[in-house]
Amino acid sequence: MCNRKKLACILIGLTASLLLSGCGWLDGRYASVTSHQSQRQNNQSEVISASSYGELIEAMEKIVASGTEMAAINISEYPQQTVEQGMEQAVRHVMAYDPITAYAVKEINYELGTSVGQPAVAVSIQYLHGRTEIQGIRTARDVEAAKRIVTDAMAGFESGIVLLVEDYEPVDYTQLVQDYALENPQIVMETPQVTEAVYGSGISRVVELVFTYQNNRDSLRRMQSQVKPVFDAASLYVSGDDADRQKYAQLYAFLMERFDYKVETSITPAYSLLRHGVGDSRAFARVYAAMCRGAGLECLIVTGTHAGEPWTWNIVLDDGQYYHVDLLWCSANGGFRELSDTQMEDYVWDYSMYPACTAAGQDTAVESTQQTIETVAQTEETQEEK
């Protein structure tokens, strides 16, 4: 279990360091550490001691949580005939079950010894993730809290996060990231690739997520700041007194009159669509849905096929009835129109995943809006200058 020659050197180093600091291994005083939580709250230290197997485990967890490489545990009150077995089992336990240890530690070694006739254990730890990384672990009470932390990290284009989820349940974080990006194009400029690792085997687990972007963080933040005024201005395009159908049509006009669009796929869908007039059906559906939600309208995103090709469009709730709206189809066929299921020729989707659209659709005319367009453009310019 232990490389005794190596640990003998560690004991000498530990003894010397403790003597220099005024705490002597040889005079019965020991290095002290603080727990993961208390370390953040104050700078007070506590002497580590253990008189039972459970306290040995707690002591090891505290040492790891503090990021300490060498420490001593007072075992003067521990049953001496079982201390060797207890330490061996405690090390195995924390390496397997303690989530912070499983995440941070490469190897734990220990050596039994005495000081002025008092038994003690010197502990040496090799870390894969050091003190700074351990202190950077964020705590989430449960899965819902963990999801909020993840989405906040996405909004800030962080390169990754490490979470201690106290009441752990399995979550498909890759799907969570994709869903959040799909529903929030005004926030997420690029959907990152996700690498996930889970550490520990108990009720609590450490979840490590690494986000990989093709654009750097500064570029993504700049894109985010540039599309925000467009989404903000979209709400000015909608009259609060109009019927929902008219509002849906107004937002359609607001989006489709911005450019003579080029239908192409981009890794930055909202930015490419709203700033450069480049986007595919998925980009249109995502941006339109976000604008509708911003105006208090219900708008779903539907994925399926059109004429055998992958395609994305929307379903809107208008006066208690659901309708299909495909912005690119509308643009190619003369303007905004809501369609029923039976009118969706050459479209295929999973009927069980979306509400039925049984009411017959109809065209909705939008009056000339040049003045509104100019007002919105001025609003965008003003917000960009800020």
Side-chain angles (χ1 to χ4, degrees):
M1 177 67 189
C2 304
N3 185 327
R4 293 185 177 273
K5 185 176 180 180
K6 179 179 179 182
L7 277 167
C9 295
I10 292 172
L11 274 173
I12 293 171
L14 177 59
T15 300
S17 66
L18 293 176
L19 286 171
L20 288 171
S21 65
C23 293
W25 167 268
L26 296 179
D27 66 4
R29 293 193 297 273
Y30 307 91
S32 61
V33 299
T34 56
S35 68
H36 181 61
Q37 293 181 341
S38 63
Q39 187 182 37
R40 299 183 181 186
Q41 296 170 353
N42 56 65
N43 293 322
Q44 296 179 351
S45 297
E46 60 177 308
V47 174
I48 293 292
S49 60
S51 60
S52 66
Y53 175 67
E55 290 181 2
L56 271 182
I57 292 175
E58 292 178 3
M60 295 298 302
E61 290 176 350
K62 287 181 179 180
I63 293 169
V64 170
S66 71
T68 301
E69 295 181 354
M70 293 186 295
I73 303 174
N74 183 335
I75 54 169
S76 58
E77 298 182 7
Y78 197 98
Q80 295 306 297
Q81 66 274 18
T82 61
V83 67
E84 177 80 40
Q85 180 183 7
M87 273 302 300
E88 184 176 347
Q89 291 177 346
V91 169
R92 284 204 305 265
H93 179 92
V94 296
M95 289 291 289
Y97 292 98
D98 177 54
I100 296 177
T101 304
Y103 161 73
V105 172
K106 177 181 180 180
E107 184 178 13
I108 299 175
N109 291 301
Y110 63 88
E111 180 74 27
L112 304 182
T114 61
S115 176
V116 194
Q118 298 296 318
V121 181
V123 178
S124 170
I125 301 176
Q126 296 182 44
Y127 288 91
L128 294 169
H129 302 280
R131 180 174 298 174
T132 300
E133 292 171 287
I134 292 172
Q135 291 176 346
I137 296 174
R138 307 178 203 184
T139 301
R141 184 183 69 258
D142 53 25
V143 167
E144 292 306 313
K147 290 180 179 179
R148 288 192 293 271
I149 294 174
V150 172
T151 54
D152 286 345
M154 291 178 63
F157 307 112
E158 297 183 37
S159 59
I161 53 174
V162 182
L163 298 169
L164 173 61
V165 185
E166 294 177 338
D167 187 8
Y168 175 81
E169 295 178 16
V171 174
D172 187 341
Y173 284 100
T174 298
Q175 190 63 52
L176 171 67
V177 167
Q178 293 175 351
D179 291 344
Y180 185 75
L182 180 67
E183 296 170 3
N184 296 275
Q186 75 280 20
I187 297 174
V188 181
M189 295 299 100
E190 177 188 342
T191 305
Q193 293 185 345
V194 182
T195 303
E196 175 185 349
V198 180
Y199 302 90
S201 303
I203 296 174
S204 299
R205 308 282 179 91
V206 164
V207 178
E208 180 184 24
L209 300 176
V210 177
F211 301 142
T212 304
Y213 296 92
Q214 294 190 41
N215 291 278
N216 62 48
R217 191 176 190 182
D218 288 341
S219 296
L220 293 170
R221 284 176 167 173
R222 185 171 59 252
M223 294 177 193
Q224 189 183 61
S225 67
Q226 290 176 341
V227 301
K228 183 180 184 300
V230 184
F231 283 98
D232 291 343
S235 61
L236 298 177
Y237 210 82
V238 176
S239 172
D241 296 331
D242 288 335
D244 286 351
R245 180 168 297 167
Q246 190 67 21
K247 293 178 183 179
Y248 284 121
Q250 288 169 343
L251 288 173
Y252 162 82
F254 171 83
L255 180 56
M256 301 309 292
E257 291 178 11
R258 290 183 63 84
F259 295 99
D260 290 328
Y261 287 99
K262 185 176 182 180
V263 180
E264 289 184 1
T265 300
S266 170
I267 63 171
T268 55
Y271 174 77
S272 297
L273 189 70
L274 298 177
R275 300 294 296 182
H276 298 291
V278 175
D280 56 12
S281 66
R282 188 174 179 83
F284 278 100
R286 291 171 65 176
V287 169
Y288 183 66
M291 289 180 173
C292 288
R293 289 194 296 269
L297 301 168
E298 183 174 341
C299 184
L300 308 177
I301 299 171
V302 185
T303 57
T305 63
H306 175 49
E309 297 294 329
W311 204 254
T312 308
W313 64 97
N314 301 103
I315 287 179
V316 301
L317 179 61
D318 179 3
D319 195 24
Q321 297 287 338
Y322 286 101
Y323 300 91
H324 296 272
V325 174
D326 181 346
L327 271 64
L328 289 176
W329 183 92
C330 292
S331 179
N333 287 274
F336 182 80
R337 188 179 185 189
E338 298 171 335
L339 301 174
S340 67
D341 288 342
T342 57
Q343 293 173 307
M344 295 292 287
E345 297 181 4
D346 294 329
Y347 289 82
V348 177
W349 67 97
D350 186 346
Y351 287 81
S352 66
M353 293 182 61
Y354 306 98
C357 303
T358 57
Q362 58 180 308
D363 300 335
T364 302
V366 180
E367 297 179 359
S368 175
T369 54
Q370 186 60 39
Q371 183 176 355
T372 306
I373 293 173
E374 293 173 357
T375 301
V376 169
Q378 292 173 0
T379 301
E380 291 180 31
E381 292 175 2
T382 300
Q383 294 189 13
E384 287 180 1
E385 290 174 359
K386 294 180 180 179

